[in-house]
Amino acid sequence: MAKAWLAGLLGVAVLSVGIAQAQPSERLRERIAKRMEQRAQGEGQQRRAPGAQTLSYGSDPAQVLDLWVPKGAKAAPLVLYVHGGGWKRGSKDTAMGNALPGHLVGQGYAFASINYRLVPAATVEQQASDVAQALAFVLGKAAGMGIDRSRVVITGHSAGAHLVALVGTDEQYLRKAGLSFADVDGVMPNDGAAYDVPKQMAQAGRFMMDTYKQAFGTDPARQKALSPVFHAAAPNAPRFLLLHVQREDGVAQANELAAALKRGGSSVEVGSFPGKGLQGHAEINRKLGEPDYAATPVMDAWLKEVFGG
């Protein structure tokens, strides 16, 4: 009986491997990512910080944001968050840790979490424009919402880290939305790894190459144009805090961007935290805002300094 059970188990395992190998790895990853997103959405709806307003900042159904403002606030600094997901998936409902909104609102900050149009229906250039447009929308309503438009930080995780770094170094996106670097006091990219897109793609393995090609294409000039490192000569947003865990490409890319920004005259801090691989990459997003997570007090101290609190 035991031998028969073991043989059956091995047969199922071999069959499963055969099926997985027979299907394109990208399709398999997409199915896994979709299941993870659905699971996260259910958990997020149960644990979501209360008190958010959901607002449209554009005409596309994807151009929506959630906004939390401290009760009774008259001049709350604003932190705007951009989710990750490889530029092609994710949402404000699934791709953010549950601790961050409540933690920042508890510190007296307004907090916005945005959706944006996704690849392939939209380009990365349009995504960066969405970030700037969402920020302009909130700042346009700041006075009536108790938000201080003169104190603003933009932050994002993974692909969102790349997008906020791009908006914080290439002013064209802010200008198109009627803003400038003068409207952004700080940028906090969280464990991104595409600040130098050509270098990232040259070093990418099979697991991520399709994602990068879909987002950035094969034209070296476009890849360079979408790289924050190549826009880091002055002017830039004035202050940056680059957070990362111990992923080899993430560490190298953060250090390269930090060096380029310093040469451009920006004030730059780098926060390096435990965590390896995709697990560490997910953890710094999920746990940021939890009081006992190592990156939280670093973020708090930096925000307090940026906002003059």
Side-chain angles (χ1 to χ4, degrees), residues 205-220:
R206 292 176 59 190
F207 183 76
M208 285 298 296
M209 182 53 73
D210 288 343
T211 293
Y212 290 135
K213 282 185 177 179
Q214 189 179 44
F216 301 111
T218 57
D219 178 7

Side-chain angles (χ1 to χ4, degrees), residues 18 38 47 120 132 146 148 162 165 201 208 221 223 245 299:
Q38 289 171 340
R47 300 170 55 199
D148 183 355
H162 163 265
M201 293 184 69
M208 285 298 296
Q223 292 170 5
V245 295
M299 172 187 70

Side-chain angles (χ1 to χ4, degrees), residues 46-292:
Q46 293 172 6
R47 300 170 55 199
R48 188 168 182 250
Q53 308 172 62
T54 299
L55 305 167
S56 296
Y57 66 86
S59 59
D60 191 281
Q63 294 173 314
V64 296
L65 59 86
D66 289 341
L67 177 65
W68 290 259
V69 180
K71 188 175 181 179
K74 295 182 179 179
L78 173 67
V79 178
L80 184 140
Y81 172 89
V82 182
H83 70 76
W87 300 273
K88 60 184 175 181
R89 69 171 72 89
S91 82
K92 61 182 177 57
D93 301 315
T94 63
M96 178 181 65
N98 291 298
L100 192 59
H103 176 75
L104 292 179
V105 171
Q107 301 286 316
Y109 306 142
F111 182 80
S113 178
I114 78 165
N115 276 355
Y116 52 91
R117 292 169 292 173
L118 299 175
V119 169
T123 65
V124 173
E125 290 89 341
Q126 289 173 315
Q127 293 177 335
S129 293
D130 282 357
V131 173
Q133 185 174 336
L135 179 60
F137 171 82
V138 176
L139 295 186
K141 294 182 175 294
M145 291 183 168
I147 296 171
D148 183 355
R149 66 163 295 144
S150 71
R151 293 188 290 170
V152 174
V153 161
I154 57 175
T155 184
H157 174 252
S158 194
H162 163 265
L163 290 172
V164 297
L166 184 60
V167 171
T169 54
D170 186 351
E171 199 174 25
Q172 66 165 310
Y173 300 104
L174 291 169
R175 288 198 303 265
K176 289 175 183 177
L179 303 175
S180 71
F181 287 144
D183 295 293
V184 179
D185 297 283
V187 183
M188 185 176 71
N190 183 359
D191 210 48
Y195 306 132
D196 181 335
V197 173
K199 183 177 291 186
Q200 183 72 24
M201 293 184 69
Q203 298 174 348
R206 292 176 59 190
F207 183 76
M208 285 298 296
M209 182 53 73
D210 288 343
T211 293
Y212 290 135
K213 282 185 177 179
Q214 189 179 44
F216 301 111
T218 57
D219 178 7
R222 179 173 179 245
Q223 292 170 5
K224 188 174 180 179
L226 290 171
S227 299
V229 162
F230 292 104
H231 296 288
N236 300 300
R239 306 185 71 146
F240 286 77
L241 172 61
L242 306 180
L243 305 176
H244 68 76
V245 295
Q246 305 311 305
R247 297 186 303 142
E248 184 176 354
D249 56 347
V251 173
Q253 290 267 320
N255 288 338
E256 182 183 358
L257 179 58
L261 288 166
K262 287 177 182 177
R263 289 194 297 270
S266 293
S267 170
V268 185
E269 297 180 34
V270 177
S272 177
F273 302 98
K276 294 183 178 180
L278 290 176
Q279 182 176 350
H281 180 63
E283 184 177 71
I284 194 170
N285 184 50
R286 186 178 69 252
K287 291 191 173 183
L288 188 63
E290 294 181 3
D292 58 351

